[in-house]
Amino acid sequence: MPNATLLVHHAADPYFNMACDEWMAAHADSSRSILIRLYSWQPGGITIGRHQREERALRWDLLHGTPVIRRITGGRAIYHDPSELTYAVAMPTDGGGVEQLAGSVAAVSRTLSEVLSDFVTALGIEARVMSRSAPGEADTARLHTAPCFTSYARREILADGRKVVASAQRRMGQAVLQHGSVKLAGIVGHAALPDIPGSPNQMADAVTRSDIDTAKRLFANAFETRLGLSVVARELSADERGLVARYASYVASHHLRQRDSIKQIASLSSLSLDRL
């Protein structure tokens, strides 16, 4: 039975969160293993897609100190508030022994959407995977200006007519990274993204350690049941947290650049993947 490691941690800062996802992709490329992760944000942050024009993606004059980071994946701007549960999956392009994860970008996205739908349903929310994109989704102008949760694309997950999971994927070297937001508590708006439904000042309860503990069991079960994986959950080790924290400093210094994480992580001798 193929194995996967589930990394779980609570309330990390935005630079650490994006650095950890990028490190996961580099580690999957190097080790040929499957890593999955659940995490939350403290404080919140805005991420923009790899190809978005930063001057059009959000209202910079209304950030009020909120960190902004360019993701290494595509998609649109999104505010990750502390009530959000976020996931990431990193795997080798050959699927790491899982046939359903070894196909095209579209096939892998479809498979992971089914897993995520199972997970959201297990949390008590009746969800469905969309078979087609919303009208107007193909408008290229929307890529730069429309926030993520104002529409939905094919294979994204809706509940009661609203998008509850938004995902983005990228292939780098011999690895695939897919990550995304799970908005179980609803969409919390931000003044810098005025087209997001809801009030910019809306608040929701932050994800707690207890919430993470409950979610990780259901998340692991969704992967085990749907894909036949053996999932072992653990927290990042002290060494791993140190490695990611040092890379997070690089991300913070290059937060709006289009980063090529596998090459950049490998080039930093203090972040050698051989230590893992």
Side-chain angles (χ1 to χ4, degrees):
M1 178 181 294
N3 298 316
T5 298
L6 169 58
L7 301 172
V8 181
H9 65 87
H10 174 252
D13 75 73
Y15 301 114
F16 185 95
N17 276 337
M18 290 298 92
C20 193
D21 282 0
E22 295 178 32
W23 165 78
M24 285 172 60
H27 188 46
D29 177 82
S30 174
S31 68
R32 318 307 298 157
S33 59
I34 300 173
L35 297 176
I36 57 183
R37 185 164 79 107
L38 279 178
Y39 56 98
S40 60
W41 303 68
Q42 188 62 255
I46 292 174
T47 63
I48 63 176
R50 176 174 172 80
H51 299 293
Q52 276 193 294
R53 292 174 57 180
E54 60 201 63
E55 70 276 11
R56 297 178 61 188
L58 57 115
R59 287 283 305 274
W60 289 87
D61 58 321
L62 297 177
L63 278 175
H64 305 304
T66 301
V68 179
I69 308 170
R70 186 179 297 280
R71 298 187 304 273
I72 61 171
T73 56
R76 299 171 181 158
I78 182 170
Y79 175 48
H80 308 272
D81 72 283
S83 75
E84 175 185 306
L85 188 64
T86 315
Y87 82 91
V89 183
M91 71 206 89
T93 51
D94 63 7
V98 180
E99 182 178 356
Q100 300 99 306
L101 298 178
S104 64
V105 169
V108 172
S109 178
R110 182 170 57 251
T111 295
L112 291 178
S113 291
E114 292 168 350
V115 174
L116 291 164
S117 180
D118 292 346
F119 169 56
V120 172
T121 299
L123 288 168
I125 298 174
E126 188 174 346
R128 63 191 181 104
V129 180
M130 300 307 296
S131 60
R132 63 185 63 184
S133 299
E137 184 70 13
D139 182 358
T140 54
R142 287 178 56 81
L143 169 67
H144 299 290
T145 59
C148 181
F149 275 86
T150 59
S151 189
Y152 61 86
R154 187 181 180 189
R155 292 183 291 275
E156 290 191 311
I157 299 171
L158 272 67
D160 294 328
R162 66 181 179 91
K163 184 160 67 173
V164 292
V165 180
S167 302
Q169 186 186 117
R170 185 176 171 202
R171 297 195 172 205
M172 299 168 288
Q174 298 300 309
V176 180
L177 173 69
Q178 181 169 312
H179 55 186
S181 302
V182 184
K183 297 289 192 181
L184 299 176
I187 300 169
V188 175
H190 193 289
L193 300 173
D195 292 331
I196 291 180
S199 165
N201 298 318
Q202 175 189 352
M203 296 296 292
D205 291 338
V207 171
T208 66
R209 291 187 183 276
S210 177
D211 294 333
I212 290 277
D213 287 341
T214 297
K216 75 180 182 182
R217 292 190 294 271
L218 299 177
F219 196 59
N221 185 66
F223 277 87
E224 289 173 337
T225 302
R226 179 70 68 167
L227 301 180
L229 280 167
S230 174
V231 178
V232 176
R234 63 173 177 84
E235 295 187 359
L236 290 167
S237 69
D239 284 347
E240 289 168 338
R241 288 190 71 90
L243 291 172
V244 175
R246 287 194 291 276
Y247 183 60
S249 296
Y250 175 86
V251 172
S253 298
H254 301 80
H255 58 109
L256 292 179
R257 292 189 183 180
Q258 292 186 342
R259 298 178 299 279
D260 184 354
S261 301
I262 289 177
K263 292 180 180 179
Q264 288 158 351
I265 291 176
S267 70
L268 298 173
S269 60
S270 62
L271 296 175
S272 172
L273 294 175
D274 293 337
R275 293 179 54 190
L276 302 178

